[in-house]
Amino acid sequence: MWTTFSRRLVIAVLVAGLAPSSAWAQSLASGGAIEGTVTDQSSAVLPGVTVIIRNAATGVSRATVTDSVGVYRAPLLPVGLYEVTASLIGFATTTRLNLTLTVGRTLVIDLALKVSGQQEAVMVTAEAPVIESTRSQQSSTVASTAVSNLPVNGRNFIDFVLTTPGVTRDVRGGDISFAGQRGTLNSLVIDGADNNNTFFGQTLGRTGSGRAPYQFSQDAVQEFQVNRNAYSAEYGRAGGAVINVVTKSGTNVFHGSVFEFFEDKSLNANSYANKTASPIRARSPFRINQFGGSLGGPIKKDKAFFFLSYDGQRRKIPNDVILTIPSNLPNDPDTQAGLATLRSKADSYQLARDQDVFLAKVDYQINQKTRLTVRYNHQNFTGVNNENSGVTNSLEHTGDSLVKTRTANLSLASVFSATFFNEFRIQYAKDSEPGLANSANPEATVRQGGATILVIGRNNFSPRETTINRVQFADTVSLVRGAHALKTGFDVNFDNIKNFFPGNFSGNYLFGSLGSFNRGFPNGSGETYTQAFAGPGTTGPETRPDIKEYTVFAQDEWRLKKNVTLNLGLRYDIQSFAQPQVKNPDPQLLAAGLDTSFLKTDKNNIAPRVGLAWNPNSKMVVRAGYGLFYGRTPSIMVGTAHSNNGINVQTVTFTGNVVPKYPASFATLPTGITLPNPSIFVFDPNYENPEVHQASAGLDYQLNEAVSVGASYLFVAGRKLQRSTDINILPAVATPIAILGGGSVTIQQFPTTRPFTRFARIIQFQSTAESQYNGLTFEIKRLFRGKFQGNLAYTLGKVEDTVPDATAVVPGGGDDAKFASNPLDFEADRAAGNNDIRHRLVASGYWDAAYFKESSGFKKVLLDGWALSWIVTAQSGLAYSEAIQNDVNRDSNTRNDIVPGTRNSNRTPWTANVDLRVSRTIRLSGKTRLQLIAEAFNLLNSTLVSAQRSTRYNFTGGVLVPQSNLSNPRLNFAADAAAADARVVQLAAKITF
């Protein structure tokens, strides 16, 4: 295997070297580049000109010389404010000031030198160009002014991605969707290092998904770039978008901040759920404190710099426990004793979501040609009682959700000559996410009259743990050869993963009555006891689905003409997994080629990229690009296949006299028990990594020195996308099902006989789903020029798919809703995707009302220092299907049944939202300022409907029973719809110095 891999790796490197790839300077992971042409007054090029590029904040400079065609190039530059000076004997020295270099950008600064007989100096203060003349991919930059000043609820800077075109929230909480794709296809890169949780397919720490609010403090983020289509070959392991983040660094001047943000229920409007309840409920208790500070400055002026930040959150949320007792409750002793026991366990409790985040960063300019950067980030999140919550979950049925991430990055940037550069990176990262249990007793659900009274005991999957230990090495070599800027490199990423998910190993009781619960034996009708056991000689629920990733790439920025740049690229990726240790020996499985001990390694992921940038004049750039991209396979799929093979985990549901007495559980599998037919997971022998084709074309036009407009067309075709599907079924039969009251619906019903007779569901991980997105984006941008910055983005897009999903791994629960409705006919579900948002308009801006700084007296006191910022969003509704409750198609999945032809045929209402920040800055002394901030999220208190009742029929007694309140336009009842938060107000104070 290794011999074969080594041979493929060598071949890939050779191919990459022969066919270099795109935009070497524009796609730098943690910085950018400055380049240009130096000419004389007659526009003749000037070779041999000495060009000094100096960072205005740190004083660090880089010297280079123009080549035979007058071109200079300076890659591997940190983001920041620069000045460029060109000098040549016989010409006046010319300096261009106030040049802002943002992440991933190639800043083209052309200089014209005047002939001079004497030593002269010319200072040019014109701003940097608004549009990027060599960039071919579709990308947007969220600059430092926006990161620092736009309103954001929760201080998660990633939410600012939603201000860029082509972006929506994914239907999976905590994820972001680009071009209608699922969030598992994205990649987050921070300071050039991979910051993705490869197990769950989210970011490290799984921030924003109801767990940790953020991994990096907003005050530690300098800026970031959103690469959303046809981006450089340097970026990969993603079929969606790459978000490229740069953290802050120190400068020659000490600077810092201290802040406190505060939210409380007394400041908020009442929620939709409370207002639609009967009777109306008061505002729910709620309080958040977020606080911290930062400090940066020189260790040695012009040489070494440090930056430190701390960010803390303390959030308290009460969880009321309510026993809803039926009015006709029996009065027998067992029932009353059972009720008394539950009342003793039904105390309300408090949830907490507390976090501490710390960052330390050092930049050291070893010499003019070598820069060392070291960064460490530390996150501790404690979600007290977050494992479960709700009115029917007791304190003992929950536990603490913990998140601990550690990332340490080192990068060494070297300038060996004016044409030879190198950047080496190494990262160690750890993401540990255990879930604790508040009880040692088994889980017990107690019902009365069909309704749940209370759930007690240990959560059936706790305590759990998922921990990733990562080591990443990457190196990139850049060469300049005339009109070509070549770049090649490698990136290896090793994730050692421990996953422990003991579902039902501690036991799970289901009692149908309080009396039965008091007796302790769930042996009545519909009552069960379920427990899982580790198979002999196996690791049971613990798996090690380790990942090894290997990448080589090469690229070329080829200046065909001064105003035409061709970006060519090639990338090769391999993602390999630890092979499962257990083969299920069932002869039917083996005869069908289903080997639970084998995972195919996809070795043909060669990804070409091509892009073109043409600026016919100084104010316009036309861009076009195409690329092939390969996404990751989340290791949660692999870990599920490791353990759910029918042998590692053996789950038995006991009934009748075999059940133990609560709270007992079995130490081992009782003798004489016949194991039921298990449901298993297995990878398709032909499984491959997701493949996404991206293409784009567009233009940007500069209206003036600060404003540009742009329009683009985006095409994204997802192929070989992941899905989970049950293959243990026989062909369906079209069957008319009567509707109560008249009529019928023809349902494809599956026979109850299973072709694999010793199994229940055989869920196969496949790469058979598809998607296709077509979108138009329009954007107006105004760069910050001291008083105002604004961005207006509109997206008209449509995504169709056949139900892809990489996270359907728990059968019998909510994951079953992620399955296609017909596992033998995926085309039946080809329709608008779950992330299909047809129209989306976002306007964001920051206005510094700096008109009264030079005033005096009462006018200055009253009017000086005010600033306003906003994010206004309007979008069309989410798509949803018309569901049928219960398993009408008889595929053993009760959550994927829909009325044929109705997948995502309905829409929730349009939503419009306004987030606003008002601040005033007061000078305290010297450069110390006090900033007072008031923010309102959902300022107009709009009802932002996020879901509606979707059940068209209940399947009961062999007939379909219509549900009258499907898509109720009145939205009068909480059961009919769900809505996002009502108006939330946040107050803050911040001292900067």
Side-chain angles (χ1 to χ4, degrees), residues 349-567:
Y349 52 93
Q350 192 171 69
L351 309 178
R353 294 173 185 167
D354 298 340
Q355 175 166 280
D356 297 288
V357 176
F358 175 77
L359 178 139
K361 185 177 182 181
V362 172
D363 296 276
Y364 178 38
Q365 193 71 30
I366 299 173
N367 54 48
Q368 193 180 52
K369 295 186 175 182
T370 309
R371 183 181 74 254
L372 175 69
T373 299
V374 179
R375 190 260 295 157
Y376 173 75
N377 192 75
H378 177 109
Q379 172 198 25
N380 277 358
F381 170 79
T382 301
V384 177
N385 296 324
N386 272 234
E387 288 292 273
N388 271 303
S389 61
V391 296
T392 61
N393 282 298
S394 66
L395 176 62
E396 50 178 56
H397 188 241
T398 185
D400 294 351
S401 301
L402 307 180
V403 177
K404 297 180 180 181
T405 68
R406 312 285 187 263
T407 58
N409 298 341
L410 180 149
S411 69
L412 186 67
S414 303
V415 180
F416 295 113
S417 72
T419 59
F420 180 23
F421 313 89
N422 189 80
E423 187 172 26
F424 172 76
R425 296 183 181 279
I426 183 173
Q427 174 188 210
Y428 169 75
K430 182 175 183 178
D431 185 350
S432 181
E433 301 189 26
L436 308 183
N438 285 348
S439 173
N441 291 334
E443 178 180 280
T445 300
V446 184
R447 296 176 178 172
Q448 184 72 39
T452 297
I453 305 299
L454 192 65
V455 186
I456 62 175
R458 173 185 294 182
N459 188 308
N460 72 73
F461 56 76
S462 297
R464 59 173 178 83
E465 179 186 357
T466 304
T467 296
I468 300 175
N469 284 283
R470 169 176 301 157
V471 178
Q472 181 185 13
F473 299 91
D475 190 80
T476 303
V477 177
S478 302
L479 297 170
V480 177
R481 293 292 183 267
H484 297 268
L486 310 173
K487 193 177 204 182
T488 188
F490 72 87
D491 185 344
V492 295
N493 196 73
F494 296 159
D495 281 1
N496 293 322
I497 303 173
K498 174 187 177 181
N499 184 52
F500 180 67
F501 191 83
N504 289 316
F505 270 74
S506 59
N508 185 353
Y509 284 83
L510 174 60
F511 293 101
S513 69
L514 289 163
S516 179
F517 163 67
N518 188 65
R519 291 187 293 270
F521 290 103
N523 50 18
S525 176
E527 298 184 332
T528 60
Y529 172 72
T530 302
Q531 187 173 344
F533 306 88
T538 73
T539 59
E542 181 174 322
T543 60
R544 300 280 179 167
D546 299 341
I547 295 175
K548 290 182 172 62
E549 297 177 310
Y550 308 88
T551 296
V552 291
F553 71 92
Q555 55 193 37
D556 178 21
E557 182 188 84
W558 181 9
R559 290 294 185 89
L560 294 173
K561 297 181 179 180
K562 184 178 180 180
N563 64 342
V564 179
T565 302
L566 181 64
N567 297 316

Side-chain angles (χ1 to χ4, degrees), residues 929-969:
R929 303 288 187 269
L930 169 64
Q931 187 179 33
L932 302 176
I933 301 169
E935 295 175 308
F937 308 102
N938 190 6
L939 174 69
L940 304 181
N941 200 29
S942 304
T943 300
L944 307 176
V945 176
S946 57
Q948 287 188 229
R949 185 180 179 92
S950 61
T951 301
R952 170 65 70 184
Y953 302 106
N954 278 342
F955 180 56
T956 304
V959 299
L960 298 173
V961 180
Q963 302 300 291
S964 60
N965 54 353
L966 171 70
S967 306
N968 190 331

